[in-house]
Amino acid sequence: MNLNNKHVTIIGAGVAGLTAACCLADWDIHVSVLEKTPFPGGHAIQLTCKATDTCVKCGACIAEVKLSGAIRKPNVHIFTGTQMESISGQGPYRVHYRSHSPLVNADRCNGCGICFKKCPVPGTILQGQAPRVGPYVAIRRDLCRYFDNAACTLCRDSCPQGAIHFSNEATAGELKADAVLVATGFSPYNPAAKPYGYGLFQNVITSLDAERVLRDHYLMKRPTDGRTAQRIAFIQCVGSRDAKSGHLWCSKICCGSSLRMARLIQSRQENAEISFFYIDVQTFGKNFHSFYKEAQENIKMIRAIPGDIINTKMDELQVIYFDPDTHSSRDAIFDLVVLSVGLMPSAGNARMAGELGWPLDTQGFMPPRSSPNQPVPKGVFTIGTATGPMSIAESVSSAEQTAFEIIHFLGER
Amino acid sequence: MENKAENGVRGKESLSAEVMIFGDSVCAQRIAANLVDNGIGVCLAAGNGSSPASIIQDRVQWLSDTRLNHCHGFAGNFTLQIDHGHNQLKKTVQAIVVAEDDSRSPNYSQYRLTPGLRVVGLSDLEEKLKHSMTESFSGTDTRIVLLCGWRKDAHPSVARRMLEGCLQLQAQPGVSTYFMTGNMKVASAGSEELVHKAKQAGTVFFKFTGVFPTIQPQENGYFTIDYPDESTRNTFQLTADWVVVDETIEPANHLELLIQKLGIDQDHIGFAQSDNVRRLSNFTNRRGIFVAGGSRGVLSHAEQLADADQVSLNVLSFLGDLDGEPLAGVTIKQGLCARCLTCVRLCPHRAIEVGSRITVITEACQSCGICTAGCPGRAIEMEGVHIGLETIQRMNHLLAITFVEKPRIVVFGCMRSAGQSHTLIQVSGQALPEGVGFVEIPCGGTIAGRHLLGAFEAGADGVMLCICHTDNCQSEIGNVVARKRAESTRDLLASAGVETERLRIVSLSANMGNEFVYRIKAFIKDIVLLNNPQKENKNG
Ligand SMILES: Cc1cc2nc3c(=O)[nH]c(=O)nc-3n(C[C@H](O)[C@H](O)[C@H](O)COP(=O)(O)OP(=O)(O)OC[C@H]3O[C@@H](n4cnc5c(N)ncnc54)[C@H](O)[C@@H]3O)c2cc1C
Ligand code: SF4
Ligand code: SF4
């Protein structure tokens, strides 16, 4: 099959999009991957390895493998800082995009980190996670004060390499696409609406925050004082399995991910006391039974979802819950609370779906082509967590399977 | 009977089979259809399987009543000896796919039940529902209790099927359903929504945490169930007309034999793929042998069909690559080879052929180098890899450094884990601490004791060997043999009067830049103390 005159545009460079890019490129197809953030890799590249000495099959390292695989292929082009604007044609399509020029020149930046220290708005300057891809440092336009009436140029002025260049320049471009693949992933749930004080109490963090803390600091440090947290609570199903919010799905990965994280913390901080608040523990991986048994022996498992969290005068967190054992309201004190946030439909799904003429499912995800009763446009495909919550391994599977469908589709035309 | 005379091969005898598929599962049949659609000749060995679905009927060679006897050869050129009825068949194929169905058994004993008239397994229930044989269930006030994952958690795909069955039963006239479970498994797509629907339809759910109900069969064939109510902490009783039990999904019995004959790795449950993320999704330790569907794990029906597409892509890509460039060459110098067969035993990818000479088959070799380090005669060479030389070069740089405060450290690290983490440090503008030389190796298994000792001889104060975490080695055992070899090197060091603490083994993954530095710094600290014991006394 000769497909070397075919073009596929993939939207989203998460583990799903990158896996599909690798598969398609193997068939000499020209692949363009549009990624709206400055970094490829999506959520999975931000996760920490949870192996103690033995790999616990969390799959995080696979994101690294897929990314380095994709960048090695000459016929894969990853456009970072790029969003799809619109799409025209009936297939082959024309995909119109806008690329923002990166604010940090990757060739000049040596990663010294001075800009991080100078920036007055936390979280504006981001660090990449992946080796062998630039840029390593990026600035978020939406938070940077320069783009809010040119108020601040501290980082630019302090950069010894002269690598920072503020510009609002964006280039528009167009790609021919014989097929379009949507791999825009998920949005993590924002728990501000829950009674857990997220955003109010700094020591209440999300599981995604916790991944980064462990990756950067090795130990579970508290945001307020940098102390290593000793008593830690994990609260499951934050935003998932939440009929009140209309979220009738289980996010699948949080139980496994958080229990593994808890055991990782215990392997690094011998005396860490961990409580795990849950509704039901979900299976993950082939070794679930033995892992779960071990977790139950070392972690206090409480089958209840807390109702409230209070920040005490001592800067501790008081968690109030209905104790199923004593059948009464109880509270417990922790140094840090980790909220296992669910996988929500990506914030841009409605717009994307409208642009592509792809009906969303009742929950707001973009279901795969194979779902029943889907009148879907020809040559458009969806994969990964854009279609519903799934793990990294499942995202890889869904990408490989859909790549087969795409190759079949392109071969027939 | 006629077929039998033709060796049972139905369909086009003339088709040359390029791919052999084991199994007659829906997954196997779909793979066959996919491959023939792409012009690939397929032979399907169906074990005791029935006849093929019509879509592939006359396009594949279908062999029933088969048993694999032997598998010779390598990726691109396997020769299979198959018992076929009373005959023996020989097939030469380029690739093999193992796609046997899983095996399913109802969990009677988990609920202390014995099979009986009014105890139904999940698969039986589905059969009945499929053929609308539900009269027996309906009637006035029929109570059906579904038992799911009590002492042993149910697989999410099984729990999902239990929920589907429950909803269908609840819809029968006069039926009330009760769903009794431990952890309610809802991690299969759509399950949470099914729970919601079932509740709305009237199903009553009970969840138990540590104490489970007791079920007593009655003389009239019904059951009484005494259950603890977790919110009121009382015990209640329910009578049931029927109970439905969930099931356990396991590898098929005959999979074991196939695994042995094909020389592929197995997970601890018995599926034909090791539980290693590097095998995702359909790969085995042997190039050219793939595994799919119920042979690689517990997959739902939809997942099995998806798996078929996925593996088809992998097989097609593999066949396309056969003419491509092989990896770095590993060669055995015939003059030095003593035919001890150590390499054959060691090679996790089964890439070494024993013939009149011992040779590495390039198509099957994955360049881990485990054999090069293991060969007692040092007869095996790997193109472009010169660990000893590189170590000495690194050491020459380091020798200018004072050894007491800033010890000289050689770090050997696998390119898939420590190598990636090292790059991560470099791009983030950090450098390894002064006095550290990093030598990237293809796999932990490429390191022999002599490389470790060589580093000490060249003047290293400490040597750190970084391998992948257990169960995360691309070559399955590279990290295991590395550990063993390092441990015996420790013994040698001890007998030479060198502190064994100077050789450290550390496991890392590809995304551990910060941890990599952290571990090296900790090691340096310990070596400083070893170099200067007085300091310890002063401090302590
Ligand atoms: C806290 C946490 C822990 C987890 N732990 C585990 C675990 O242990 N094991 C596991 O298997 N899984 C885990 N997961 C799940 C895992 O992160 C996902 O399975 C995986 O990231 C899905 O990959 P994806 O490519 O589908 O989506 P994403 O990772 O979300 O990638 C989508 C990409 O598309 C980009 N994008 C979105 N919209 C657009 C647009 N309009 N234009 C251009 N680009 C766009 C995004 O910027 C992003 O880079 C965890 C998730 C979380 C939140
Ligand atoms: S799968 Fe997870 S635990 Fe295992 S090595 Fe990779 S990142 Fe670490
Ligand atoms: S290098 Fe590895 S794969 Fe190749 S022959 Fe040696 S042991 Fe086998």
Side-chain angles (χ1 to χ4, degrees):
Chain A
M1 216 187 299
N2 186 3
L3 298 175
N4 66 12
N5 56 350
K6 299 288 182 192
H7 295 257
V8 174
T9 296
I10 301 177
I11 306 170
V15 68
L18 293 167
T19 303
C22 290
C23 293
L24 296 171
D26 280 343
W27 290 77
D28 297 335
I29 295 167
H30 300 272
V31 184
S32 307
V33 191
L34 309 185
E35 169 56 52
K36 69 174 178 188
T37 69
F39 308 112
H43 289 99
I45 207 107
Q46 303 166 27
L47 307 177
T48 184
C49 167
K50 301 186 187 69
T52 42
D53 236 342
T54 300
C55 165
V56 293
K57 289 95 185 178
C58 75
C61 55
I62 295 307
E64 234 94 7
V65 172
K66 295 297 175 191
L67 177 53
S68 33
I71 37 189
R72 264 203 303 271
K73 309 252 180 216
N75 49 339
V76 173
H77 292 277
I78 304 177
F79 297 72
T80 49
T82 301
Q83 259 183 302
M84 185 181 96
E85 290 282 301
S86 62
I87 183 165
S88 57
Q90 302 287 313
Y93 297 97
R94 309 202 78 78
V95 178
H96 309 275
Y97 67 84
R98 265 174 96 73
S99 267
H100 275 288
S101 59
L103 303 175
V104 182
N105 183 333
D107 295 334
R108 290 202 171 169
C109 167
N110 65 2
C112 69
I114 291 175
C115 54
F116 291 92
K117 296 190 190 104
K118 291 283 174 188
C119 177
V121 191
T124 304
I125 302 187
L126 301 174
Q127 231 182 44
Q129 305 279 14
R132 290 170 195 161
V133 250
Y136 186 68
V137 172
I139 299 173
R140 276 181 66 172
R141 278 164 204 277
D142 50 336
L143 296 181
C144 172
R145 287 198 186 151
Y146 177 86
F147 295 99
D148 186 20
N149 70 39
C152 169
T153 55
L154 281 173
C155 61
R156 184 185 70 190
D157 302 342
S158 61
C159 175
Q161 295 291 109
I164 300 178
H165 174 65
F166 289 121
S167 112
N168 239 334
E169 259 170 60
T171 42
E174 198 183 283
L175 293 163
K176 167 182 175 257
D178 296 291
V180 175
L181 178 57
V182 181
T184 48
F186 65 95
S187 296
Y189 180 72
N190 177 354
K194 295 280 162 195
Y196 301 139
Y198 182 73
L200 244 51
F201 314 143
Q202 280 185 49
N203 292 333
V204 177
I205 64 174
T206 68
S207 41
L208 196 58
D209 299 332
E211 297 273 354
R212 295 185 194 133
V213 171
L214 282 174
R215 203 168 155 143
D216 294 346
H217 302 292
Y218 187 69
L219 302 174
M220 205 65 221
K221 301 282 187 192
R222 284 176 19 125
T224 48
D225 51 14
R227 228 167 19 93
T228 304
Q230 187 73 23
R231 298 160 297 176
I232 304 170
F234 281 85
I235 302 179
Q236 294 308 109
C237 294
V238 179
S240 320
R241 307 188 68 189
D242 181 356
K244 268 198 209 131
S245 314
H247 300 165
L248 288 182
W249 66 85
C250 157
S251 293
K252 292 178 115 176
I253 50 89
C254 350
C255 282
S257 187
S258 294
L259 277 178
R260 286 171 171 126
M261 183 185 281
R263 295 292 295 136
L264 176 70
I265 295 169
Q266 288 180 329
S267 79
R268 293 178 180 179
Q269 304 169 206
E270 223 173 290
N271 304 317
E273 294 161 24
I274 300 184
S275 297
F276 192 83
F277 294 92
Y278 72 101
I279 306 175
D280 298 287
V281 176
Q282 301 304 326
T283 305
F284 42 90
K286 285 178 167 178
N287 60 347
F288 171 75
H289 290 291
S290 54
F291 183 88
Y292 185 41
K293 197 161 158 272
E294 191 193 277
Q296 283 171 309
E297 283 160 13
N298 294 288
I299 295 168
K300 191 167 175 203
M301 306 290 290
I302 305 169
R303 201 171 192 173
I305 292 298
D308 208 355
I309 296 181
I310 296 165
N311 209 28
T312 66
K313 286 202 186 92
M314 309 282 292
D315 198 21
E316 292 166 325
L317 296 160
Q318 185 183 10
V319 174
I320 300 162
Y321 63 99
F322 188 83
D323 183 29
D325 287 341
T326 60
H327 206 66
S328 61
S329 180
R330 280 191 59 170
D331 55 280
I333 299 288
F334 297 98
D335 301 319
L336 187 85
V337 172
V338 179
L339 307 177
S340 289
V341 291
L343 273 47
M344 302 291 121
S346 173
N349 272 8
R351 199 182 144 239
M352 184 66 64
E355 193 59 51
L356 295 169
W358 193 278
L360 292 182
D361 68 13
T362 51
Q363 313 288 354
F365 290 101
M366 301 181 80
R369 242 195 128 72
S370 57
S371 350
N373 314 324
Q374 276 280 8
V376 290
K378 207 171 63 177
V380 181
F381 301 82
T382 60
I383 52 168
T385 48
T387 67
M390 56 175 85
S391 66
I392 293 165
E394 289 168 316
S395 301
V396 167
S397 287
S398 106
E400 290 179 347
Q401 184 234 328
T402 309
F404 178 77
E405 273 184 62
I406 295 177
I407 287 162
H408 195 72
F409 167 77
L410 294 177
E412 275 184 351
R413 290 168 53 112
Chain B
M1 277 300 106
E2 239 180 70
N3 283 330
K4 202 126 211 168
E6 292 173 22
N7 281 343
V9 181
R10 302 186 192 118
K12 293 180 182 156
E13 186 74 356
S14 60
L15 265 184
S16 79
E18 292 157 285
V19 177
M20 172 65 88
I21 302 174
F22 288 100
D24 72 332
S25 58
V26 284
C27 179
Q29 301 206 22
R30 178 141 165 163
I31 300 165
N34 284 341
L35 294 178
V36 289
D37 280 350
N38 282 283
I40 307 292
V42 172
C43 181
L44 209 145
N48 300 325
S50 45
S51 55
S54 53
I55 45 157
I56 53 167
Q57 209 154 30
D58 20 271
R59 298 191 292 162
V60 302
Q61 296 182 18
W62 178 278
L63 305 174
S64 56
D65 191 13
T66 55
R67 188 172 171 281
L68 177 64
N69 223 340
H70 248 300
C71 171
H72 294 293
F74 302 90
N77 187 14
F78 293 103
T79 305
L80 300 167
Q81 265 176 29
I82 297 173
D83 287 345
H84 173 48
H86 297 293
N87 302 322
Q88 280 239 334
L89 278 181
K90 209 169 177 179
K91 285 269 166 206
T92 302
V93 293
Q94 295 182 311
I96 297 169
V97 185
V98 180
E100 297 282 355
D101 230 336
D102 49 37
S103 123
R104 306 178 169 206
S105 45
N107 291 330
Y108 300 117
S109 60
Q110 195 191 135
Y111 307 102
R112 317 227 155 102
L113 288 167
T114 44
L117 208 54
R118 290 177 170 273
V119 187
V120 188
L122 173 58
S123 288
D124 282 348
L125 174 70
E126 286 172 329
E127 237 1 74
K128 286 200 164 85
L129 289 171
K130 195 158 102 194
H131 301 296
S132 311
M133 287 155 52
T134 47
E135 322 77 58
S136 47
F137 293 133
S138 39
T140 43
D141 195 19
T142 306
R143 293 174 174 206
I144 306 179
V145 178
L146 295 101
L147 311 174
C148 188
W150 285 8
R151 288 168 192 91
K152 198 165 154 250
D153 285 50
H155 191 273
S157 71
V158 170
R160 195 199 143 107
R161 288 163 51 214
M162 290 290 282
L163 285 166
E164 280 167 348
C166 179
L167 253 175
Q168 286 189 47
L169 289 172
Q170 181 69 26
Q172 303 294 322
V175 170
S176 326
T177 52
Y178 301 83
F179 200 99
M180 295 186 158
T181 181
N183 277 312
M184 180 75 240
K185 298 289 181 176
V186 287
S188 197
S191 287
E192 179 74 3
E193 219 171 336
L194 284 175
V195 172
H196 204 71
K197 277 191 192 149
K199 277 184 185 161
Q200 279 178 340
T203 301
V204 184
F205 282 81
F206 299 95
K207 290 207 270 190
F208 308 104
T209 312
V211 189
F212 293 96
T214 44
I215 308 174
Q216 288 297 333
Q218 300 299 299
E219 274 176 16
N220 56 9
Y222 300 102
F223 303 89
T224 54
I225 303 178
D226 293 304
Y227 65 95
D229 180 63
E230 293 209 341
S231 49
T232 61
R233 325 198 79 204
N234 291 324
T235 303
F236 288 98
Q237 196 174 67
L238 182 78
T239 39
D241 300 62
W242 297 87
V243 292
V244 178
V245 297
D246 62 356
E247 62 188 21
T248 299
I249 303 184
E250 285 167 322
N253 281 333
H254 53 283
L255 195 60
E256 177 90 39
L257 183 84
L258 211 49
I259 289 170
Q260 269 174 23
K261 301 278 181 195
L262 293 174
I264 51 180
D265 289 336
Q266 198 175 12
D267 68 11
H268 63 281
I269 311 169
F271 289 108
Q273 189 186 40
S274 62
D275 190 8
N276 181 337
V277 293
R278 304 211 185 252
R279 299 282 172 262
L280 287 175
S281 303
N282 301 99
F283 297 99
T284 66
N285 53 311
R286 295 195 71 182
R287 193 167 276 174
I289 303 185
F290 301 84
V291 54
S295 289
R296 77 173 177 101
V298 180
L299 270 66
S300 70
H301 184 77
E303 284 168 341
Q304 293 204 10
L305 293 178
D307 215 37
D309 287 2
Q310 209 171 289
V311 79
S312 304
L313 180 72
N314 288 323
V315 171
L316 290 171
S317 297
F318 164 77
L319 295 176
D321 282 350
L322 273 179
D323 322 317
E325 287 278 299
L327 291 174
V330 175
T331 40
I332 302 182
K333 283 200 241 152
Q334 297 304 328
L336 296 175
C337 169
R339 290 186 74 90
C340 68
L341 303 189
T342 307
C343 57
V344 179
R345 268 189 295 108
L346 279 174
C347 179
H349 306 294
R350 301 227 172 185
I352 299 175
E353 184 172 40
V354 186
S356 58
R357 325 166 107 203
I358 314 282
T359 37
V360 176
I361 305 295
T362 320
E363 287 75 14
C365 170
Q366 301 192 16
S367 300
C368 63
I370 294 176
C371 57
T372 57
C375 174
R378 293 169 65 168
I380 312 181
E381 266 189 358
M382 205 166 152
E383 203 180 295
V385 179
H386 305 284
I387 301 167
L389 216 70
E390 232 191 283
T391 312
I392 295 188
Q393 278 167 3
R394 293 276 183 286
M395 281 313 300
N396 285 341
H397 280 292
L398 301 179
L399 283 173
I401 287 171
T402 57
F403 95 104
V404 177
E405 289 299 334
K406 291 207 184 78
R408 298 177 288 247
I409 309 279
V410 170
V411 178
F412 293 105
C414 166
M415 66 175 187
R416 289 194 170 79
S417 46
Q420 298 276 326
S421 291
H422 181 229
T423 321
L424 193 56
I425 302 167
Q426 287 175 322
V427 296
S428 67
Q430 301 177 56
L432 292 180
E434 219 186 327
V436 178
F438 181 67
V439 182
E440 191 173 277
I441 48 178
C443 168
T446 326
I447 285 290
R450 62 175 188 274
H451 299 125
L452 300 169
L453 290 175
F456 284 111
E457 278 161 21
D461 302 309
V463 174
M464 191 160 128
L465 174 60
C466 299
I467 52 181
C468 297
H469 296 301
T470 308
D471 285 359
N472 190 251
C473 171
Q474 172 75 26
S475 294
E476 218 68 55
I477 56 156
N479 49 4
V480 180
V481 295
R483 207 177 270 280
K484 266 203 207 126
R485 288 170 184 163
E487 270 154 18
S488 28
T489 309
R490 277 222 185 103
D491 296 343
L492 290 179
L493 289 178
S495 54
V498 178
E499 300 92 335
T500 53
E501 295 88 343
R502 289 186 185 273
L503 174 59
R504 181 165 295 179
I505 311 160
V506 158
S507 68
L508 283 177
S509 70
N511 49 12
M512 288 184 139
N514 290 326
E515 170 144 6
F516 187 35
V517 177
Y518 183 94
R519 296 290 194 109
I520 292 177
K521 285 187 176 157
F523 186 46
I524 293 179
K525 220 165 143 189
D526 294 346
I527 297 292
V528 168
L529 287 180
L530 283 177
N531 282 356
N532 190 2
Q534 287 87 357
K535 200 170 160 186
E536 188 179 22
N537 294 339
K538 248 186 273 166
N539 291 350

